[in-house]
Amino acid sequence: MAYQKVSADQSMSGRSQFLDGDDLQGTALDLEWDMEKELEEPGFDQFQLDSSENENQGHPESVDLNLDSIQPATSPKGRFQQLQEETDYFSHYTRSAPKSNRCNICHFLKIFCTATILFILGILIGYYAHTNCPSDASSSGTVDPQLYQEILKKIQAEDIKKSFRNFVELYKSEDDMEMSKTIKTHWTALGLEDVQFVNYSVLLNLPGPWPSTVTLISSGQCFHPNGQPCSERARKDSSPDLLYSYAAYSAKGTLKAEVIDVSYGTADDLKRIKKVKNVTNHIALMKLGKLPLLYKISLLEQTGFGGVLLYIDPCDLPKTVNSNYDTFMVSLNPGGDPTTPGYPSVDGSFRQNQSNLTSLLVQPISASLVAKLISLPTAGTKSEICSPLELPHNEIRIVSMKVQTVTKFQTVTNVVGYVKGLASPDRYIIVGSHHHTVYSYNGQEWASSTAIITAFIQALMLRVKRGWRPDRTIVFCAWGGTTLGNIGSYEWGEDFKKILQKNVVAYVSLHSPVRGNSSLHPVASPSLQQLVVEKNKFNCDRRIQCPETNVSSVQIQGDADYFINHLGVPTVQFTYEDISALEGPSFLSEAAFPQHAIKIEEIDPFFNLHETIAKLSGEMILQIANEPVLPFNALDIALEVQNSLKGDRLSAHHLLAAASCLRESAELFQSEEMRPANDPKERAPIRVRMLNDILQDMEKSFLVRQVPPGFYRNILYHMDEKTSQFSILVEAWEHCNSLASNETLQGALSEVLNSINSAQVYFKVGLEVFESFLVAKT
């Protein structure tokens, strides 16, 4: 870390790759939290992150520190003031003078000539060193907002647009490796360090040679998923869109049965239907949305259904969107390679037999086909009043559905590169996008995502080449296999799990950054929400129209999943959405549409939205990577827990009491009482490291063991913005109502209580460590 001073006469056991002797002599930081020595931990072998072996003493000056009083309902800013580099520190290097000896004139002349030559050589070396070294190289130890703006102003919409078009045009084959090579070559040319492929051989479930079909038995009519009638010509000339309309990792085969309309497939919907019908081996007609698809599929399996026809109701979409004939795909994969659950798919790993992940036959269909199955003339015609699609009561529809897909092992490629940190190279900020894979969905979003991360790399490396480096290492990842279940990120996370658990500080997601053009929709961990609001307010000052940001912690789609749910890493994501899309049922984004469905250049023709996303994300990355004290808020987590228990139907007093204790500990943690003493002797570098370790690991206490399929293991995240309660408690309450036993509810209550107590103990132990350190120093 850079929170250290080294004087020239100190003995050193090692030397950093990026610091020379002069840098080490001159670097000095005014620390706000006490530390004694730097603890360096091993980094990625994969990325060759060498840890420093220096142990140095800190001697900062005294600074008066104040913190705003804590308000009852909101967290104070709570940031520990940025640590500034000392300017008045000088190292003194002394050496005893040699004894004078008498010598003859010849010996004196030899000494004089040697000194003259050395003097001239020193001048020449100094001159060329001065001309070759950048004059504006910045020390890593300072926090300079102006420096951030100098980096970010290099990000231009035109450059993102050019990069976007290049990625789209370069894609000509379905070979995943070709696009990966293009990204690697481009990132390497920009100067990113050690850019490499990380490959995994995984089991993919892909479309079959022919489209799936749905046949209405009463009329004998056969339809493709998009509603077009089946024909031999259609089979031979089937467009990729028809093949791509499938559910990855669904069961395969044919099922002939009655169709039962289950609406959204919630627990209440199924409870109502079971009272009037026997649903065993029947086919459910179910709308996408409101709850995670994996959860609803599990409910249908428990109820006894044999198949599912899945569709998106036009009334759930914005009026400007006409998707009656659009086909789409979904993935039933919770994450990673299905044959190696919980461990990486590397040579020697045992592979389980998991060709399908559900016993149900699942087939996505268009709204127009639903209209034909329920005998409507049109499918949800757009009007002022939209009528949801539903099967008429007391009418029987018997269909035969045929699902055919293929499974095969194939290589998924991640592209990974990094900028090594100067002060804490063993602490990582992961920045993730996704690139094109074998079957591309969601239009050109993969190119949009990759273009933004590339634009930030370009701006960052321009500054790095001039001598500056961030304090912490920034790792850039372009993930493969995202659409089929975040396969690339899961396998990489499982491969380096032990290191990532210990060293990852934050994850910044650039998954599908531009989905609309009317509203900025940031999602962030509770500890990062204040920082998100600050960055957006600063950005708003330069724009005419800027509505108030509604940042929340809701479940999101994309490769952040592994880092949120298995590592407990604070995460942030900025996206542009349509406001009307945000007001509808959640989880519609689980549907992945074919390439033509989303035209990025129609949504953002001048790429101004892309530039905004790049700069907002970039500033978050720079601040997290370079602030000596991580800009996370402990009290915001405690407030989020209390808000999640407000108005709870369970009235669990023990939960409220535990949440109150957690808040008290968090308040103390962010109060003036926890400020270090003004005596410079007590302000040792070890305390900053201790503080950052606590801030970094705050969310890990809220990872629970068991959750329903599709629910986040990190209980700080909610199902949607309209529901503030803990998601697992809401689900357990509904489950309890439908069953005679409340065992599930009691289990969920125990999980939440244990998480709150663990977090409270975590803060308390952190406080005691600091207190005992102060006692020992005095």
Side-chain angles (χ1 to χ4, degrees), residues 325-609:
Y325 298 92
D326 283 346
T327 54
F328 62 94
M329 71 85 66
V330 293
S331 177
L332 307 182
N333 181 7
D337 179 11
T339 66
T340 58
Y343 52 95
S345 181
V346 296
D347 291 342
S349 295
F350 170 73
R351 295 188 180 274
Q352 303 179 16
N353 183 16
Q354 293 284 355
S355 59
N356 53 274
L357 300 178
T358 177
S359 61
L360 297 175
L361 290 160
V362 183
Q363 177 59 53
I365 60 176
S366 66
S368 60
L369 177 53
V370 176
K372 293 177 181 178
L373 294 179
I374 64 178
S375 302
L376 284 181
T378 57
T381 303
K382 293 289 180 180
S383 62
E384 291 299 324
I385 301 177
C386 184
S387 299
L389 295 174
E390 60 180 14
L391 187 66
H393 296 291
N394 301 323
E395 292 192 16
I396 297 178
R397 299 287 189 276
I398 298 177
V399 303
S400 175
M401 59 182 296
K402 184 177 182 180
V403 176
Q404 46 188 350
T405 58
V406 296
T407 55
K408 62 179 180 180
F409 283 94
Q410 195 163 310
T411 299
V412 166
T413 302
N414 300 323
V415 185
V416 181
Y418 67 89
V419 176
K420 188 173 184 178
L422 186 58
S424 299
D426 63 330
R427 291 294 182 260
Y428 315 129
I429 292 86
I430 309 294
V431 185
S433 67
H434 67 285
H435 61 80
H436 177 82
T437 52
V438 178
Y439 293 92
S440 182
Y441 298 88
N442 286 341
Q444 301 163 340
E445 287 184 352
W446 65 270
S448 177
S449 172
T450 308
I452 286 179
I453 197 172
T454 301
F456 177 70
I457 291 172
Q458 181 177 7
L460 180 67
M461 297 312 299
L462 288 175
R463 187 70 189 190
V464 170
K465 290 175 182 178
R466 292 165 57 190
W468 175 87
R469 281 184 178 271
D471 276 356
R472 302 176 182 91
T473 297
I474 306 175
V475 183
F476 296 94
C477 306
W479 307 115
T482 297
T483 307
L484 295 176
N486 306 317
I487 295 178
S489 57
Y490 256 77
E491 293 305 307
W492 188 80
E494 291 169 348
D495 203 359
F496 298 102
K497 183 175 181 179
K498 296 299 182 182
I499 296 174
L500 296 174
Q501 281 178 327
K502 191 175 185 181
N503 293 355
V504 173
V505 169
Y507 184 90
V508 180
S509 172
L510 290 168
H511 178 79
S512 300
V514 179
R515 306 169 192 168
N517 54 16
S518 61
S519 175
L520 180 65
H521 181 58
V523 174
S525 302
S527 60
L528 278 172
Q529 288 185 10
Q530 279 196 37
L531 188 60
V532 170
V533 172
E534 290 172 9
K535 299 308 153 196
N536 190 58
K537 282 182 178 179
F538 178 79
N539 186 266
C540 285
D541 293 339
R542 296 173 289 179
R543 294 187 307 196
I544 299 176
Q545 295 181 349
C546 185
E548 184 177 352
T549 302
N550 182 23
V551 59
S552 60
S553 299
V554 296
Q555 293 194 194
I556 56 178
Q557 298 297 310
D559 294 287
D561 186 276
Y562 185 84
F563 298 89
I564 293 173
N565 287 303
H566 295 270
L567 302 178
V569 173
T571 301
V572 63
Q573 172 181 281
F574 293 96
T575 59
Y576 267 98
E577 301 263 14
D578 287 321
I579 293 178
S580 52
L582 296 173
E583 294 172 349
S586 57
F587 297 98
L588 291 181
S589 58
E590 290 185 314
F593 290 91
Q595 297 183 18
H596 69 271
I598 298 178
K599 295 291 186 181
I600 296 297
E601 294 199 53
E602 292 179 5
I603 298 175
D604 186 20
F606 302 106
F607 279 70
N608 293 327
L609 303 183

